[in-house]
Amino acid sequence: MATYVQIDPTQKLDPFKAVKKIPLEEYFTSGHRTCQGCESALVMKMMAKAAGPRTIVLGSTGCMYVANTTYYSTSWVLPWMHTQLGSSGSAALGASAALKVLMRKGKMKQEPINVIAFCGDGGGADMGVGAISATLTHPDYNCLILMYDNESYANTDIQLSGSTPWGANTTFSTPGKVKRIMHRRWKKNMAGMMAAGHPTCRYVATVCMSYGLAAMNSMRKALAIGGPTFIHSLDPCPKGWDYDPYISHELGELAVNTGIWPLYEVEDGVLKLTGRTQQIAAKKIQRQPVRDYLLRQGRFAHFTNDDIDYFQSKIDEMWEKWLVPGVIPFRTDVEADAPPSS
Amino acid sequence: MAVATVIEEQKDKLDKTALITGSEAIAVACQLADVDVITAYPIRPYDTVMQYVCKLVANGEMDCEYIVAEGEHSQFEIVKHASACGARVFCGSSGVGWMYAMEALTVTPALRIPMIAMVGNRALDDPGAFGVEHNDALAVRDLGWQLVWVDNAQEALDTALIAYRVAEDRRIFLPLAISCDGAFLTHSQALVKIPSQEKVNEFLPQYNRGDLLLHPDNPITVAPQGNEDWVMEIRRQNYAAMERSPGVIREAYADFERIFGRSYGNPFFEEYMTDDADIVLMGMGTLSISVKVAIREMRKQGKRVGFVRMRWFRPFAAEELSKSLQRFAAVGVIDRDYSFGSPYAGGVLAGEVRHALYPGPGKKPPVVGFICGLGGREVTVPDVQKMAEAVYNAADGKKQPLTQWIGLRE
Ligand SMILES: Cc1ncc(C[n+]2csc(CCOP(=O)(O)OP(=O)(O)O)c2C)c(N)n1
Ligand code: SF4
Ligand SMILES: [Mg+2]
């Protein structure tokens, strides 16, 4: 069969079989200044480990730039370059295109090199969504775009983004005397949108670092499969979510177990729910009430019981009414949305 | 040996002549320069260059990654990262497209990315207009971009080759934009000498990013947070690179003349009939054509008018220019741009010329500014004659506004 796609070879990155098989070498080390309990920093560390030394990383503005790369104390062992807030898609494309053409013309030694561009939810789901979308339509370029989602513009002092959950208290949605719920938008379904909207993109996945091994293997698959790929990671953020740093890991688990954060991968168009999410969907385990998750975090401390019920009803909908539960919000019937008065 | 075989074998060594537009001339330069990554996005008039590049790629005459971006911001960000990874890059835009890319344009100089861009100069919205104005390219004049204006297709091709040579010189590593007036240059054809590949290879070394290359063999961290600790020193490095630029430009033009046998004289500005001139007009881009015609007309009536066409706006050859302008009784600067609220409400070039003259030694001729040809309006021969009259009045010390709008419908 004739093919119009010219993909260069990628690295062979088999899944790590067990935690003990993960290499000890670090490619994201000391020197960063993230908060205690910062899950996004953990994503960086594990991402670098999963990709290995023959990797170029490009990072858009945000906590993972500002806190990680103070001049003269970079934490990156890998080659790393800052990219503008909305440019992770373009950064990945540009670097990948350069490697491809330089190797083809013999101007650079032939070798598969991983290209990863990461962005926050602000940089990815808001400002950079157009560029990411464009890159996912370019089948010829090997690159991974990783969106670390701490559910706010964290670096600029926790402002709401298109990825902030409904009702959360941020510095742009502080509850006041008259209005309790200042943020009335539902979180964007970024991974689902990327998977559904880009039919030739070979791999889209959601991950959470509370399930580190699975997340790393997902990254390895995304890098090895060829073409542009996308991973969306949900990262508890003690500062933005307002909780004690020691429960970061537990909050990630709660996000999955409440069904708020479904884990899945879409590989060559085939959807596979993974981890605890798979068990939830198969009704092997019950979803935990969202209350258990929401009330552990200061950003939801102003919620009334009605607010919590509404949140719960939206998550129930996601599992019971969506045509592809947890992934694609199409329905068969029209349903009225009735949020509590704010 | 058959003649055809000889020609085939000699192909790389032969110059050719072709009837092509300014945009096409730049596309040919990209081909000769073996550019690696090119990004396109549609906006008139610059986009014609990308249409030509597309054909070259489709016909197998050029090997590059030709990427159609989803907006100008991405267009410039893609080549920025490609350049950081060692690729020779080309990009471009016009009018609001150039402004849409502004963030990407801003960061490029400090990253020391020798990106070459073509600006097909176009009026900014609103109201919509396809015609030429220079405010688009001028928007980056303070940021570390080298800016050059050309006025014909041959000069466009030659300057594009020179641009790569200058920008990719390790002493410089700054981006460079070549301004081509929309329609008047981008879309008009002229006979252009296309140099042989062999000569181009002799003139233009490969891009070598050196110790700034982003590659696993050179695991550097590019553009970490600098803040008050280091940003000032980094700005100073940009400043120093721009200060070195005139010297490197001179070297490049000298080598260009040696290898291609074509000379541009003073690289920074062209002087036309200035040897015996009483007064001169100044300007950038294709308005030179009607100015030169008008000067020939006026000279028939005994008016000794000359013309100075600025090529390089950044770096700005202030000392050389002020030395040259001292020879004249008065100077008229034609701006195809505006700078509302600026000193004497003048255009950008007029302000720069006054600035250049102020600290210069010797006599300072009076400077009259003209705003003319906005939105692509033609600069006519009578317009030029009117401007020359005003400059003569300035030479005679007559009182008049320091900035005059010419060709304006009252
Ligand atoms: C074009 C642009 N607008 C605004 C900013 C200011 N800014 C810097 S970091 C940041 C937050 C980015 O949020 P996100 O992408 O979610 O990353 P996080 O800080 O949460 O890690 C913003 C808005 C910027 N750097 N660039
Ligand atoms: S604010 Fe959140 S994302 Fe930023 S460093 Fe702190 S914990 Fe990490
Ligand atoms: Mg964020």
Side-chain angles (χ1 to χ4, degrees):
Chain A
M1 195 177 71
T3 170
Y4 296 102
V5 179
Q6 289 151 9
I7 282 197
D8 286 356
T10 55
Q11 291 179 38
K12 194 166 151 43
L13 298 166
D14 291 333
F16 297 129
K17 291 263 156 49
V19 173
K20 286 191 178 161
K21 303 281 188 211
I22 298 173
L24 292 176
E25 288 84 13
E26 297 289 353
Y27 303 106
F28 172 86
T29 62
S30 55
H32 64 88
R33 300 165 184 207
T34 59
C35 307
Q36 239 185 15
C38 173
E39 287 288 287
S40 297
L42 189 63
V43 170
M44 295 296 122
K45 177 183 155 97
M46 297 317 213
M47 174 189 84
K49 241 186 213 296
R54 306 308 284 174
T55 301
I56 293 173
V57 184
L58 311 148
S60 80
T61 323
C63 277
M64 292 306 107
Y65 166 48
V66 178
N68 281 338
T69 55
T70 306
Y71 205 63
Y72 275 156
S73 70
T74 180
S75 37
W76 289 101
V77 177
L78 300 174
W80 186 91
M81 180 172 170
H82 174 223
T83 186
Q84 293 314 111
L85 186 51
S87 294
S88 56
S90 308
L93 198 60
S96 179
L99 298 179
K100 189 185 182 81
V101 64
L102 293 175
M103 289 179 197
R104 180 172 74 235
K105 290 184 180 180
K107 295 181 183 177
M108 184 183 279
K109 193 178 72 197
Q110 193 91 37
E111 161 197 21
I113 293 174
N114 298 322
V115 172
I116 304 177
F118 67 75
C119 55
D121 50 302
D126 279 351
M127 192 180 267
V129 72
I132 293 172
S133 169
T135 296
L136 295 183
T137 63
H138 280 277
D140 298 341
Y141 300 112
N142 297 329
C143 56
L144 162 63
I145 298 161
L146 187 142
M147 184 172 116
Y148 69 91
D149 183 1
N150 49 25
E151 300 195 318
S152 80
Y153 288 93
N155 182 60
T156 34
D157 216 8
I158 322 294
Q159 290 87 8
L160 73 87
S161 78
S163 203
T164 301
W166 181 89
N169 180 350
T170 70
T171 57
F172 278 3
S173 59
T174 5
K177 287 183 187 143
V178 179
K179 288 202 168 184
R180 184 181 73 263
I181 302 294
M182 284 291 285
H183 176 44
R184 285 168 295 166
R185 297 151 55 187
W186 198 256
K187 182 181 171 77
K188 265 190 206 184
N189 181 25
M190 188 66 182
M193 173 166 42
M194 292 303 113
H198 305 88
T200 57
C201 168
R202 298 194 57 197
Y203 190 78
V204 172
T206 60
V207 300
C208 177
M209 264 311 147
S210 300
Y211 305 94
L213 184 65
M216 289 171 84
N217 284 338
S218 188
M219 291 166 187
R220 285 168 75 81
K221 197 186 269 187
L223 289 166
I225 198 166
T229 55
F230 181 79
I231 290 181
H232 184 172
S233 169
L234 181 76
D235 306 350
C237 157
K239 182 179 165 193
W241 300 11
D242 189 11
Y243 63 83
D244 197 320
Y246 83 94
I247 64 162
S248 284
H249 187 85
E250 203 184 331
L251 272 182
E253 291 177 340
L254 276 168
V256 174
N257 290 331
T258 51
I260 290 174
W261 186 245
L263 294 173
Y264 60 87
E265 59 181 16
V266 183
E267 187 181 340
D268 285 324
V270 178
L271 169 70
K272 195 172 119 202
L273 301 178
T274 55
R276 306 278 294 178
T277 304
Q278 194 179 28
Q279 292 170 281
I280 289 173
K283 304 222 157 50
K284 289 200 183 120
I285 53 172
Q286 278 230 316
R287 277 186 283 128
Q288 255 175 276
V290 298
R291 174 183 294 272
D292 297 358
Y293 173 72
L294 299 178
L295 294 185
R296 302 286 293 271
Q297 305 170 52
R299 62 177 172 158
F300 302 114
H302 57 295
F303 269 25
T304 61
N305 280 331
D306 279 354
D307 296 335
I308 295 172
D309 289 347
Y310 175 66
F311 208 106
Q312 183 69 61
S313 73
K314 295 291 279 184
I315 301 303
D316 292 347
E317 234 177 68
M318 187 170 146
W319 287 102
E320 290 155 19
K321 303 277 169 65
W322 289 15
L323 270 186
V324 184
V327 183
I328 305 289
F330 295 164
R331 290 148 233 246
T332 39
D333 301 304
V334 180
E335 306 250 356
D337 187 28
S341 62
S342 59
Chain B
M1 208 187 291
V3 177
T5 328
V6 176
I7 291 176
E8 187 54 35
E9 277 181 4
Q10 297 285 310
K11 210 176 73 192
D12 284 358
K13 297 186 179 142
L14 296 176
D15 292 350
K16 282 181 290 187
T17 303
L19 182 67
I20 53 176
T21 64
S23 289
E24 204 167 0
I26 296 218
V28 170
C30 289
Q31 178 193 21
L32 289 167
D34 187 27
V35 175
D36 300 310
V37 179
I38 297 185
T39 51
Y41 189 81
I43 185 167
R44 276 185 274 187
Y46 113 95
D47 68 328
T48 42
V49 72
M50 295 306 180
Q51 299 181 23
Y52 294 124
V53 168
C54 172
K55 283 185 194 146
L56 290 173
V57 172
N59 291 335
E61 293 168 53
M62 183 173 183
D63 183 10
C64 71
E65 294 304 303
Y66 172 71
I67 298 172
V68 180
E70 94 298 346
E72 289 87 354
H73 186 276
S74 292
Q75 205 191 340
F76 283 81
E77 282 286 289
I78 292 167
V79 288
K80 181 187 98 181
H81 290 90
S83 176
C85 293
R88 175 171 285 166
V89 300
F90 176 71
C91 194
S93 197
S94 289
V96 289
W98 180 253
M99 304 307 262
Y100 193 77
M102 187 52 85
E103 184 195 32
L105 301 178
T106 312
V107 295
T108 312
L111 289 170
R112 309 305 293 274
I113 298 291
M115 171 194 299
I116 304 299
M118 169 186 167
V119 184
N121 299 110
R122 170 176 172 168
L124 301 171
D125 292 354
D126 269 339
F130 297 124
V132 50
E133 271 176 16
H134 291 164
N135 282 87
D136 50 6
L138 286 171
V140 299
R141 69 190 163 131
D142 299 327
L143 305 180
W145 276 77
Q146 300 164 96
L147 296 174
V148 60
W149 261 261
V150 296
D151 80 343
N152 65 74
Q154 183 73 59
E155 196 182 30
L157 191 157
D158 296 349
T159 306
L161 295 175
I162 290 168
Y164 281 106
R165 174 69 193 253
V166 171
E168 291 175 0
D169 190 300
R170 187 63 178 88
R171 293 165 290 177
I172 308 296
F173 268 18
L174 290 175
L176 194 160
I178 306 163
S179 278
C180 301
D181 284 358
F184 295 120
L185 178 51
T186 54
H187 287 65
S188 0
Q189 289 184 321
L191 275 179
V192 174
K193 286 206 183 77
I194 299 174
S196 70
Q197 189 65 55
E198 199 172 70
K199 283 183 191 160
V200 173
N201 294 350
E202 188 188 343
F203 175 70
L204 188 60
Q206 280 202 6
Y207 173 38
N208 179 359
R209 185 112 185 110
D211 57 355
L212 293 182
L213 183 73
L214 193 67
H215 188 278
D217 290 342
N218 187 47
I220 49 172
T221 292
V222 180
Q225 277 280 307
N227 296 332
E228 68 278 15
D229 289 344
W230 288 106
V231 165
M232 196 152 165
E233 284 69 25
I234 289 163
R235 298 279 180 261
R236 177 70 186 198
Q237 289 178 355
N238 269 21
Y239 160 93
M242 192 59 103
E243 288 301 290
R244 289 190 290 269
S245 174
V248 175
I249 290 172
R250 265 196 204 93
E251 276 175 31
Y253 277 83
D255 256 5
F256 188 91
E257 185 178 345
R258 179 176 61 77
I259 294 167
F260 299 97
R262 226 180 354 267
S263 171
Y264 282 92
N266 177 352
F268 300 99
F269 49 88
E270 175 201 356
E271 297 199 21
Y272 180 76
M273 294 195 172
T274 55
D275 283 348
D276 63 343
D278 302 320
I279 59 148
V280 288
L281 292 167
M282 284 189 68
M284 301 196 293
T286 54
L287 58 80
S288 60
I289 295 157
S290 34
V291 172
K292 286 176 181 175
V293 172
I295 285 177
R296 291 197 291 269
E297 289 295 315
M298 290 187 282
R299 279 183 172 259
K300 283 184 200 152
Q301 298 148 24
K303 290 182 185 144
R304 288 183 301 189
V305 182
F307 178 56
V308 177
R309 176 172 67 93
M310 286 306 280
R311 282 196 196 96
W312 290 84
F313 186 85
R314 288 288 182 269
F316 196 95
E319 277 176 45
E320 242 174 289
L321 183 72
S322 86
K323 203 161 150 234
S324 172
L325 294 184
Q326 280 172 38
R327 298 179 286 152
F328 313 114
V331 177
V333 182
I334 313 171
D335 268 287
R336 211 163 206 165
D337 61 75
Y338 45 83
S339 177
F340 301 133
S342 66
Y344 312 111
V348 174
L349 184 60
E352 296 283 303
V353 171
R354 286 197 187 96
H355 190 167
L357 285 170
Y358 188 82
K363 185 169 82 79
K364 294 181 203 336
V367 175
V368 199
F370 304 103
I371 309 281
C372 193
L374 296 189
R377 183 164 296 180
E378 205 179 329
V379 179
T380 64
V381 171
D383 287 341
V384 180
Q385 286 165 338
K386 209 166 156 190
M387 292 190 265
E389 272 327 300
V391 182
Y392 271 116
N393 288 341
D396 292 344
K398 290 199 187 127
K399 255 196 119 46
Q400 62 178 341
L402 281 182
T403 303
Q404 304 176 21
W405 286 58
I406 304 294
L408 183 73
R409 204 186 284 132
E410 297 287 354

